[in-house]
Amino acid sequence: MDFTEIARAESPRGEVVLRQRRVRNGPAVLELRANGIFVMDTAETSTEVALAAEALAAIADPRDVVIGGLGLGFTLEAVLADPRVEHVTVVEIEEALIGWLRDGTVPHGQALLADRRVKMVNADLAMAVVEARSSYDLLLLDVDNGPGYLVHDANGSLYEPEFLRRCRAILNPGGLVAIWSAAEAPELAATMRAVFDHVEQRALPVSLQGREVTYWLYLAGEQRPVTPPTAPGSR
């Protein structure tokens, strides 16, 4: 397997690298790494799509959506595919990552960011929520792979009561917060239950290159999600 570095950037949080890997007789794959840790790639995007699809299905009228974490844009792409969505605000702390999608370094990025419904905000998610002057129907948080797999230690605050109360304060009636996790996170569920009226944890089986794995989605709001839970463990 061969790797070629496509782009690299330094920030106060460390290093972000975009590289291409190629398997003999196979297509080239873009891979995103932060401080040497694999974040995501273009070969397996089903988890990003599932996050958007499951969260969107759980809400009756997702006109205004916030996505915390741009990644390589696949969650954004799935959100934009829903005709009910009128506005999407993407909050991404790494300016370089936004630039790589905007300038075509990530080939599908330009079309996504050119969509008139999209607003890019280069900011820390916690600060963006504190400073929000609008309300939203759906907050999709995909900054990490859950509280047990932080990209940066400071992201731990995103799973604590103070931040979650801020999220609740900017939800429209019937709105939801959705948090993606690569592993079951009972402590997160308990924290969310202390803040929101209704919380559900949903197990989402996903096939990853021949492997069957289970990811988790945590949904919280003043009202119950409009779709039933997909697995035991809901409240």
Side-chain angles (χ1 to χ4, degrees):
M1 188 179 298
D2 297 323
F3 292 93
T4 303
E5 185 174 300
I6 302 299
R8 177 186 296 265
E10 296 281 347
S11 77
R13 291 156 300 281
E15 180 182 74
V16 184
V17 175
L18 189 66
R19 66 181 190 175
Q20 183 184 82
R21 74 173 187 266
R22 187 180 294 275
V23 180
R24 183 176 299 177
N25 299 324
V29 174
L30 283 181
E31 179 179 291
L32 178 64
R33 287 181 171 263
N35 294 325
I37 299 173
F38 175 84
V39 178
M40 62 185 61
D41 63 23
T42 56
E44 179 47 67
T45 63
S46 60
T47 56
E48 289 87 356
V49 174
L51 164 63
E54 189 82 6
L56 288 165
I59 186 168
D61 193 20
R63 297 184 186 184
D64 291 282
V65 179
V66 172
I67 301 175
L70 173 61
L72 294 177
F74 291 103
T75 298
L76 172 59
E77 184 176 50
V79 169
L80 291 173
D82 190 320
R84 300 173 298 167
V85 173
E86 297 177 358
H87 306 285
V88 186
T89 301
V90 182
V91 182
E92 172 55 53
I93 197 170
E94 298 296 348
E95 184 177 8
L97 188 52
I98 298 171
W100 295 339
L101 270 76
R102 185 167 281 150
D103 67 13
T105 302
V106 177
H108 61 270
Q110 289 182 320
L112 292 176
L113 300 193
D115 192 303
R116 293 184 179 181
R117 293 173 291 170
V118 176
K119 176 183 177 181
M120 289 299 313
V121 177
N122 177 210
D124 174 74
L125 179 61
M127 188 59 64
V129 168
V130 167
E131 296 180 350
R133 297 295 179 266
S134 301
S135 57
Y136 303 92
D137 302 306
L138 179 62
L139 305 183
L140 286 173
L141 306 187
D142 192 23
V143 176
D144 308 289
N145 279 326
Y149 302 90
L150 302 180
V151 175
H152 306 293
D153 290 343
N155 287 354
S157 66
L158 303 180
Y159 308 97
E160 295 177 356
E162 182 178 355
F163 175 75
L164 294 172
R165 282 193 290 269
R166 298 278 189 178
C167 289
R168 177 170 180 163
I170 62 171
L171 283 181
N172 288 325
L176 289 176
V177 174
I179 300 179
W180 182 257
S181 182
E184 190 172 6
E187 291 184 2
L188 172 61
T191 301
M192 296 175 82
R193 289 185 180 114
V195 175
F196 294 94
D197 295 336
H198 299 285
V199 176
E200 290 184 2
Q201 60 178 27
R202 300 187 179 183
L204 300 178
V206 177
S207 296
L208 294 178
Q209 299 176 354
R211 294 182 297 113
E212 299 300 319
V213 299
T214 299
Y215 289 96
W216 295 83
L217 183 66
Y218 291 84
L219 297 166
E222 294 182 359
Q223 302 175 19
R224 291 185 182 277
V226 298
T227 54
T230 54
S234 64
R235 179 183 175 188

